[in-house]
Amino acid sequence: MGSERVDTEGKARNKEAKMKRRKSDHGSTRAGGDAIKNNKKTPKTREKTDLGESHKKVMVFKSENLDSTISASESVKETDDDFSARKGPKIRRVKDESMDSDAIPTESVKETDNDVSARKGLKRKWVQDESMDSSVIPTSKKIKHKLGESSDEERKTKKSNKKMQKKVKCEDSNECKKPKRTKGEIEEARQLKIKKKEEEEQSRWRWWEEEKYEDGVKWRFLEHSGPYFPPEYQPLPDNVHFYYDGKKVKLSLAAEEVALFFAQMLDHEYTTKKVFRENFFKDWRKEMTDAERSLIQDLGKCDFGEIHAMHKAKVEARKNMTKEEKQALKEANQKIVDEFGYCLLDHHRERIGNFKIEPPGLFRGRGEHPKQGMLKKRIQPEDIIINCSKEACIPVPPAGHRWKEVRHDNTVTWLVSWTENIQGSIKYIMLNANSKLKGEKDWEKYEVARKLKSCVDNIRSQYRSDLKSRQMSTRQRAVALYFIDKLALRAGNEKEEGETADTVGCCSLRVEHITLHEQMDGKEYVVEFDFLGKDSIRYYNKVPVIKKVFKNLKLFLENKQPGDELFDRLYTSMLNKHLSSLMPGLTAKVFRTYNASITLQEQLKELTNKSDSVAEKLLSYNRANRAVAILCNHQRAPPKTFDQSMATLQSKIDARKEQLALAKSGLKQAKKEAKAKGSSEFKLQTLVERKKAAVKRCEEQLLKMEIQATDREENKQIALGTSKLNYLDPRISVAWCKNMGLPVDKIYNKSQRDKFAWAIDMTEVDFEF
């Protein structure tokens, strides 16, 4: 009880002392110019701001001499007299977000209108006080100051802070966007590009303007560095193993290399095919030692898992290479190209097409090839034949090796040749597509096809009369020529049974490949074709033919089994010999080139119009090209990403349609306002014109997208590139571009323009195939 009485008396004395101190300090000024507020409670009031919002005002005094005995909870309120006494010093209004309601009671000071007028002219600074000690003033409710001027200033501050942060981040991460180029820089870059193009044109070898060599001579001087051989095999790391029947097996280098070829293909469907696996295992065992052959007897017990995982890791590492690593690899490859990728042809520097020897691996083939899975052996210098000039420097073979042979034959266009082990065919290294030798060959090919135009009617009348010949071989030749001419079929080459995939041409058709229909789909004398053509591409077509051809086919089918040859008395060599007697240089392939080119020219005349837009003209060109591709059976599988890309394009079309609708409504509104105000309002008329231009721009963009979508859909399963590069005379396309006022680069890309530089340079507007 005694202690409680002492505590009570102590508290009373402390309270009385505080009251006296407050009375004595009332009205006095402190050092620093800030008046101390008395403890008299005033009613809570709200003041209207200029924006009409009510707000609470909190005055925080900045005084270094303030007695520490005064706690934060005893905030003193300032009267009008106190404020007038403080005229002159700067006042800081602080929006304190860190004050606690327990530390600062509700006796916050409110300023009246008189207070504000008394402070007229004083510089005010609205800040968010971040310097308060959290130990003295705990975190609490936010006391907000809602002033328009303050929020504007805050927004500006935040904006500048964001810019600074972005700048710092940009400097740290080196992800800054390139600064926008000025008009002068853009123009300078454009002029530089034009200058570079002009220099390329000037340095181009215009061989088509020179005199041709005598028949058979292809070049007078040829020098090159020979082929580039793939690197030697590197053994597997010590931590990567091959397992047989669950046990580790250390393979010899030759066997290990072939095992790696199979392991690299484990993700591919080839390794699941019976023929592929059998051929691989047979060839793999040939590379094994006697001990390995006696141990490894079953491919099903072989575990290539670790080797496959290593290969996958290497592939991923290549994908994830840094920019510096990619650049280093690019530079290394460029050095190889500079050394082996060019030659001197008649003292002109020409690019070589395929200067690298194909590395060893497993043969895949097209379609169901009977030799798939067999081992393509490593080509050695001892397998290589070099062709160059007598006076040229002969290429140096790799150390410790020698060439099989060195020739000096200027009647051929190849630089290097060798025989591969799978099919026994001869492989060549030749010049690039834009070289003189390739260009001359193309030019001659199209010129021969143009000559056919002048005599094709006589050839057609002859093979039609041969349909009645008494000799069966002549009749078969006439029917084959009819198909080659009408359907642009390939002649087909003689080959050994089972050596290649089951692909056929016109002369090698079998009974099972055709079906005859007297009536079909409202047409008479229909022949239904179904066979695998070049590269195992299926040819399926239903074609109405003339009555004589139909009757002859019935005759050829008599007493034959499905596997028997349709034209059993005709060979490709016999057919080409007959054609060359009709016109020098004429072969079955010339018919294919002629029909493709003439079809393109006719389709372009029929489909295009000079008044069409650029997009419509290009669509017409692609449609003409597509007719040729269908004629030549140039098919392809739809791209895997086709549906996704079409969906993306369709979403863009829908967005553009919405944009067009908005533009049209904006134009309608602008016209309405202009009509109401009259034609005197220049600004409104300008706005209408601007809206019209926006609508027109949207319509053009929408049309371009819709044409693009149509073109993609129509090209889904058609390959246009093959016919464009190999069967269509480029002069037809160049002349069409000049007639339509289109630049050639709308049809041909850079490499194609280089390939057909001769045609682009020599073709006039009035060219006719």
Side-chain angles (χ1 to χ4, degrees):
M1 290 292 292
S3 62
E4 289 178 6
R5 192 181 301 113
V6 171
D7 289 343
T8 306
E9 289 174 358
K11 287 180 181 179
R13 281 197 300 271
N14 287 339
K15 190 172 182 180
E16 188 178 352
K18 286 180 184 179
M19 291 297 292
K20 287 179 181 179
R21 189 159 54 247
R22 286 173 188 164
K23 286 178 182 179
S24 63
D25 290 341
H26 180 70
S28 64
T29 56
R30 293 265 183 185
D34 287 342
I36 297 184
K37 305 170 191 176
N38 65 11
N39 198 31
K40 186 179 179 181
K41 292 185 180 180
T42 56
K44 297 179 184 178
T45 60
R46 290 188 180 270
E47 181 188 28
K48 291 273 184 175
T49 65
D50 293 339
L51 298 175
E53 295 179 348
S54 62
H55 62 279
K56 295 182 180 180
K57 294 188 178 178
V58 180
M59 304 302 297
V60 178
F61 300 97
K62 182 179 179 184
S63 176
E64 295 176 0
N65 299 329
L66 196 62
D67 195 345
S68 60
T69 56
I70 301 176
S71 68
S73 62
E74 296 170 322
S75 301
V76 184
K77 300 176 185 175
E78 193 175 39
T79 62
D80 295 349
D81 295 335
D82 296 331
F83 193 16
S84 61
R86 298 172 61 241
K87 187 176 181 181
K90 294 181 181 178
I91 299 170
R92 284 210 313 166
R93 297 194 178 186
V94 183
K95 185 166 81 172
D96 189 355
E97 295 183 357
S98 62
M99 290 189 176
D100 195 292
S101 58
D102 296 332
I104 301 178
T106 55
E107 297 106 304
S108 299
V109 179
K110 319 292 187 302
E111 277 188 330
T112 63
D113 293 340
N114 292 332
D115 297 333
V116 177
S117 60
R119 296 171 54 209
K120 186 178 180 181
L122 297 182
K123 187 174 180 182
R124 299 172 177 84
K125 191 173 182 182
W126 301 83
V127 296
Q128 182 177 348
D129 193 357
E130 295 177 354
S131 62
M132 290 199 172
D133 193 340
S134 59
S135 62
V136 178
I137 305 175
T139 308
S140 174
K141 300 174 185 177
K142 294 181 180 179
I143 305 173
K144 296 184 179 179
H145 218 358
K146 298 180 181 178
L147 278 179
E149 292 174 5
S150 175
S151 60
D152 287 342
E153 193 171 335
E154 285 172 10
R155 277 197 295 272
K156 288 177 184 177
T157 307
K158 285 179 182 178
K159 195 173 182 181
S160 63
N161 287 342
K162 281 182 182 178
K163 284 182 180 177
M164 286 299 294
Q165 288 172 2
K166 194 174 182 181
K167 188 176 179 182
V168 171
K169 185 180 178 182
C170 187
E171 288 172 356
D172 290 343
S173 60
N174 294 322
E175 294 177 356
C176 298
K177 290 183 179 178
K178 292 181 180 178
K180 287 187 178 179
R181 295 187 299 175
T182 62
K183 287 185 178 179
E185 288 173 336
I186 293 170
E187 180 62 24
E188 187 180 347
R190 193 177 72 84
Q191 291 298 331
L192 188 66
K193 192 175 180 181
I194 292 170
K195 187 179 178 182
K196 189 178 178 182
K197 192 174 180 181
E198 288 174 352
E199 287 175 355
E200 282 181 6
E201 286 297 321
Q202 289 172 3
S203 64
R204 189 191 298 278
W205 182 15
R206 305 172 75 82
W207 51 263
W208 54 90
E209 295 178 355
E210 299 177 1
E211 288 186 16
K212 288 188 178 181
Y213 297 148
E214 57 269 23
D215 287 344
V217 175
K218 304 296 182 184
W219 46 264
R220 288 175 181 165
F221 179 84
L222 178 62
E223 184 177 276
H224 55 91
S225 300
Y228 175 77
F229 290 91
E232 292 296 324
Y233 174 68
Q234 297 298 317
L236 294 175
D238 293 336
N239 62 333
V240 178
H241 304 98
F242 165 76
Y243 295 87
Y244 183 75
D245 203 13
K247 297 175 182 178
K248 288 182 187 178
V249 177
K250 182 63 179 175
L251 298 172
S252 60
L253 282 184
E256 185 181 274
E257 183 180 15
V258 181
L260 176 63
F261 297 153
F262 189 83
Q264 289 172 339
M265 295 181 65
L266 282 179
D267 285 339
H268 203 285
E269 63 175 348
Y270 271 110
T271 54
T272 63
K273 294 181 179 180
K274 183 181 177 183
V275 176
F276 187 93
R277 292 173 68 89
E278 286 176 354
N279 286 336
F280 159 72
F281 196 59
K282 184 179 177 182
D283 278 6
W284 185 29
R285 284 176 59 80
K286 291 177 185 177
E287 301 300 315
M288 295 179 185
T289 62
D290 292 337
E292 288 168 344
R293 271 194 292 272
S294 62
L295 173 66
I296 302 171
Q297 305 255 344
D298 184 2
L299 183 59
K301 294 180 180 180
C302 295
D303 182 0
F304 303 91
E306 288 189 11
I307 306 176
H308 176 68
M310 180 200 72
H311 168 68
K312 294 282 282 184
K314 284 184 177 179
V315 171
E316 284 301 314
R318 280 198 295 271
K319 287 180 183 177
N320 299 325
M321 281 195 299
T322 63
K323 190 176 180 181
E324 291 75 18
E325 289 171 334
K326 287 179 181 177
Q327 184 61 31
L329 183 62
K330 186 179 179 182
E331 289 172 0
N333 288 334
Q334 188 58 46
K335 285 181 181 178
I336 295 170
V337 172
D338 292 340
E339 183 179 355
F340 296 95
Y342 292 90
C343 72
L344 280 178
L345 181 76
D346 294 343
H347 303 288
H348 290 274
R349 193 169 186 252
E350 292 273 63
R351 180 72 188 267
I352 301 172
N354 53 331
F355 61 88
K356 293 183 178 181
I357 298 289
E358 188 178 5
L362 302 182
F363 180 71
R364 301 186 187 191
R366 304 283 182 117
E368 297 301 322
H369 203 289
K371 293 189 174 183
Q372 59 181 270
M374 289 180 66
L375 175 64
K376 291 187 293 183
K377 293 186 176 179
R378 184 179 292 273
I379 304 300
Q380 300 292 349
E382 286 74 16
D383 304 316
I384 297 292
I385 299 173
I386 297 290
N387 190 32
C388 62
S389 302
K390 287 181 181 178
E391 62 273 24
C393 294
I394 297 173
V396 179
H401 293 275
R402 59 181 179 81
W403 302 123
K404 178 181 180 181
E405 185 185 346
V406 177
R407 294 183 188 175
H408 309 293
D409 187 358
N410 65 355
T411 63
V412 296
T413 58
W414 55 267
L415 286 64
V416 175
S417 74
W418 68 94
T419 304
E420 55 89 27
N421 66 294
I422 301 290
Q423 309 253 62
S425 59
I426 301 173
K427 299 285 187 179
Y428 298 100
I429 288 180
M430 307 182 91
L431 294 187
N432 200 21
N434 60 359
S435 65
K436 177 196 174 184
L437 296 181
K438 290 286 188 181
E440 274 187 336
K441 193 174 180 181
D442 282 344
W443 189 8
E444 288 170 5
K445 175 177 70 176
Y446 294 121
E447 282 301 302
V448 171
R450 284 184 80 195
K451 286 179 185 175
L452 177 59
K453 184 180 178 181
S454 60
C455 57
V456 69
D457 291 336
N458 293 332
I459 293 171
R460 283 170 177 165
S461 62
Q462 183 173 340
Y463 72 61
R464 289 193 181 192
S465 65
D466 286 344
L467 292 171
K468 300 176 184 178
S469 175
R470 292 182 179 181
Q471 289 186 345
M472 184 62 71
S473 60
T474 305
R475 285 196 180 196
Q476 288 187 0
R477 186 184 69 198
V479 173
L481 271 176
Y482 176 86
F483 287 150
I484 288 168
D485 183 20
K486 184 176 177 65
L487 305 178
L489 294 182
R490 292 182 177 88
N493 298 312
E494 300 170 53
K495 57 189 178 185
E496 295 181 25
E497 188 76 23
E499 286 297 302
T500 60
D502 186 21
T503 58
V504 298
C506 184
C507 294
S508 50
L509 285 170
R510 298 194 295 272
V511 172
E512 61 190 332
H513 294 141
I514 68 166
T515 308
L516 303 181
H517 303 277
E518 295 275 356
Q519 292 279 343
M520 189 179 190
D521 300 331
K523 296 174 183 177
E524 289 184 331
Y525 310 123
V526 176
V527 181
E528 184 179 2
F529 292 88
D530 192 357
F531 61 89
L532 292 182
K534 186 181 178 182
D535 296 336
S536 296
I537 301 295
R538 183 190 181 200
Y539 182 91
Y540 181 79
N541 203 358
K542 292 178 283 189
V543 187
V545 299
I546 59 175
K547 189 175 181 180
K548 290 178 184 176
V549 169
F550 193 84
K551 284 187 174 180
N552 273 306
L553 287 172
K554 266 190 171 181
L555 181 65
F556 302 158
L557 294 174
E558 286 179 1
N559 302 319
K560 287 185 180 178
Q561 298 300 315
D564 293 340
E565 290 187 353
L566 179 66
F567 303 114
D568 54 343
R569 302 187 188 186
L570 179 68
Y571 301 100
T572 306
S573 56
M574 291 170 54
L575 180 66
N576 283 329
K577 187 177 180 181
H578 170 70
L579 289 174
S580 63
S581 69
L582 300 175
M583 188 191 95
L586 181 61
T587 62
K589 190 172 183 179
V590 176
F591 265 99
R592 191 171 167 84
T593 305
Y594 164 76
N595 281 309
S597 293
I598 205 72
T599 300
L600 177 72
Q601 186 167 271
E602 290 170 354
Q603 287 290 309
L604 287 175
K605 286 180 180 177
E606 184 181 332
L607 295 174
T608 53
N609 194 321
K610 284 188 178 181
S611 61
D612 290 344
S613 67
V614 173
E616 289 170 326
K617 288 174 183 176
L618 292 176
L619 178 63
S620 298
Y621 181 87
N622 284 343
R623 281 178 170 164
N625 193 357
R626 190 155 42 249
V628 175
I630 291 169
L631 174 70
C632 297
N633 196 42
H634 293 151
Q635 299 181 41
R636 65 168 183 173
K640 292 179 181 178
T641 58
F642 179 79
D643 292 335
Q644 184 182 351
S645 64
M646 285 298 291
T648 304
L649 182 57
Q650 189 58 49
S651 64
K652 288 180 180 179
I653 290 172
D654 294 339
R656 188 67 66 188
K657 283 180 178 178
E658 291 177 9
Q659 191 178 348
L660 178 60
L662 289 171
K664 283 183 176 179
S665 63
L667 175 61
K668 189 176 180 181
Q669 184 64 29
K671 282 182 176 179
K672 190 176 180 181
E673 290 177 6
K675 189 176 181 181
K677 294 279 181 89
S679 59
S680 59
E681 285 290 334
F682 177 74
K683 286 185 179 179
L684 288 175
Q685 293 300 325
T686 307
L687 180 64
V688 169
E689 293 301 320
R690 197 161 64 245
K691 295 284 186 183
K692 279 183 181 177
V695 169
K696 186 179 178 182
R697 190 164 57 249
C698 275
E699 286 175 339
E700 288 173 351
Q701 290 169 345
L702 179 61
L703 177 63
K704 189 176 180 180
M705 286 182 179
E706 288 176 336
I707 288 172
Q708 189 181 359
T710 304
D711 200 26
R712 277 192 198 175
E713 184 62 43
E714 291 177 359
N715 286 338
K716 183 178 179 180
Q717 291 181 282
I718 302 295
L720 301 182
T722 308
S723 53
K724 185 191 282 189
L725 292 179
N726 300 303
Y727 290 99
L728 301 178
D729 190 329
R731 293 172 290 185
I732 299 170
S733 299
V734 174
W736 178 81
C737 284
K738 290 182 177 180
N739 272 306
M740 292 294 142
L742 286 177
V744 179
D745 56 13
K746 292 287 184 183
I747 301 299
Y748 295 124
N749 60 31
K750 177 69 169 62
S751 61
Q752 290 166 350
R753 291 197 299 274
D754 289 340
K755 176 181 169 69
F756 297 132
W758 58 273
I760 294 169
D761 184 68
M762 68 169 62
T763 306
E764 300 296 333
V765 181
D766 58 350
F767 174 83
E768 286 283 334
F769 179 75

